[in-house]
């Protein structure tokens, strides 16, 4: 069965085009035309990914994002208007995984959907023996694509997981924001570099004992970020 995508978009022509193109790629789609309906469907129908417009009747996309994120780690891609530069960061701050700027090409949208689609089942305890230590109290299960701290699964988005495993592939090596965007988001992604900082901050909130004094993901001033081999 195809992965299920919830489209929350009040402009029915846009919603229809998206649904048609995703359907052709083998995804199942559902559409909500306002934020209230979108929130209800996001929580009740358990989609595999949500495409969420910002300007919506009843509840705006930010409010929906915040409320969904309080209960679910389903990947969320915001559909933002090009002129609203601040919308991108606001969405990321509220827990969206990514954004696509309108007008977007279907090719771009589908690539972004695939990149953000959750590859794993919900977090569950790892079987002993399946774990590989990344650094300090962090370990990873290759089978489940999960990362654990002291044996407890961390509730990471796909993007956060990708950043952490990328940094862990070369501990103590400093990567600039540009490098992280290229390696983790993909070179075709012409995103805002602040997306890297927001993602790192969210990641720290999830894995650091004290996010204000990070021991795992360390900032090298003026250079970038690295994962400490000895946190
Ligand atoms: Ca709209």
């Amino acid at each position: 069965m195809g992965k299920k995508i919830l489209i929350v978009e009040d402009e029915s022509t846009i919603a229809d085009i998206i649904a048609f193109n995703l359907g052709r790629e083998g995804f199942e789609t559902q559409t909500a035309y306002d934020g209230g309906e979108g929130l209800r469907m996001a929580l009740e129908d358990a989609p595999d990914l949500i495409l969420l417009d910002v300007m919506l009747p009843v509840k705006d996309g930010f409010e929906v994002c915040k409320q969904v994120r309080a209960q679910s780690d389903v990947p969320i891609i915001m559909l933002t208007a090009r002129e609203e530069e601040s919308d991108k960061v606001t969405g990321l701050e509220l827990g969206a995984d990514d954004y696509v700027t309108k007008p977007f090409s279907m090719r771009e949208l589908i690539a972004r959907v695939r990149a953000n689609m959750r590859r794993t089942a919900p977090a569950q305890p790892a079987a002993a023996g399946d774990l590989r230590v990344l650094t300090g109290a962090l370990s990873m299960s290759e089978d489940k694509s999960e990362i654990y701290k002291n044996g407890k699964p961390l509730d990471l988005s796909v993007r956060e997981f990708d950043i952490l495993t990328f940094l862990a592939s070369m501990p103590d090596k400093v990567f600039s924001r540009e490098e992280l965007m290229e390696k983790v988001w993909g070179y075709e992604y012409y995103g805002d570099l602040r997306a890297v900082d927001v993602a790192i901050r969210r990641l720290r909130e999830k894995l650091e004992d004290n996010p204000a004094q990070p021991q795992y993901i360390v900032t090298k001033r003026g250079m970038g970020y690295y994962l400490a081999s000895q946190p």
Side-chain angles (χ1 to χ4, degrees):
M1 204 176 72
K3 295 271 192 179
K4 198 162 64 181
I5 297 176
L6 173 62
I7 302 161
V8 189
E9 167 65 79
D10 57 320
E11 285 168 74
S12 58
T13 43
I14 297 179
D16 289 351
I17 293 170
I18 295 173
F20 173 76
N21 281 277
L22 288 174
R24 230 172 33 174
E25 297 290 317
F27 295 105
E28 274 183 56
T29 60
Q30 286 180 301
T31 304
Y33 298 97
D34 68 61
E37 187 71 357
L39 178 62
R40 187 188 63 72
M41 288 166 75
L43 297 178
E44 288 177 8
D45 299 339
D48 296 296
L49 184 141
I50 301 172
L51 293 172
L52 182 56
D53 188 28
V54 174
M55 296 295 285
L56 291 167
V58 185
K59 268 180 208 302
D60 71 21
F62 296 136
E63 188 58 32
V64 174
C65 179
K66 198 168 76 180
Q67 293 191 28
V68 170
R69 190 50 86 231
Q71 297 188 44
S72 160
D73 65 350
V74 60
I76 299 173
I77 302 177
M78 305 291 298
L79 309 177
T80 65
R82 194 176 290 283
E83 57 271 26
E84 297 300 331
E85 195 58 24
S86 63
D87 281 5
K88 301 168 184 173
V89 173
T90 307
L92 296 169
E93 300 268 6
L94 292 172
D97 295 280
D98 210 344
Y99 56 81
V100 178
T101 311
K102 289 179 174 178
F104 44 78
S105 71
M106 281 302 142
R107 192 166 153 266
E108 179 190 7
L109 183 71
I110 288 163
R112 216 59 79 70
V113 164
R114 290 200 191 285
N116 283 278
M117 188 62 79
R118 196 152 181 77
R119 292 159 302 197
T120 57
Q124 45 186 275
D130 177 34
L131 289 181
R132 177 168 71 83
V133 173
L134 291 181
T135 180
L138 298 182
S139 54
M140 175 179 167
S141 157
E142 306 273 7
D143 296 355
K144 298 196 184 67
S145 298
E146 291 285 354
I147 293 177
Y148 302 81
K149 184 177 182 189
N150 295 318
K152 284 208 195 99
L154 294 174
D155 194 11
L156 304 180
S157 71
V158 170
R159 183 78 72 214
E160 291 158 356
F161 177 88
D162 288 346
I163 293 170
L164 192 50
T165 51
F166 177 73
L167 291 173
S169 69
M170 278 171 273
D172 298 328
K173 176 167 166 44
V174 179
F175 292 95
S176 67
R177 297 189 302 168
E178 288 84 354
E179 285 173 314
L180 285 172
M181 182 142 273
E182 186 188 324
K183 302 290 187 196
V184 178
W185 275 253
Y187 69 91
E188 287 187 66
Y189 188 92
Y190 304 105
D192 187 323
L193 287 174
R194 285 175 298 180
V196 177
D197 300 324
V198 172
I200 294 276
R201 186 161 76 244
R202 293 183 57 83
L203 197 45
R204 281 172 169 164
E205 282 164 9
K206 293 180 182 181
L207 64 88
E208 300 283 354
D209 295 334
N210 176 3
Q213 292 188 312
Q215 306 293 307
Y216 286 94
I217 300 182
V218 183
T219 303
K220 184 92 173 171
R221 265 182 83 104
M223 295 184 65
Y225 300 105
Y226 67 94
L227 185 74
S229 64
Q230 291 178 315

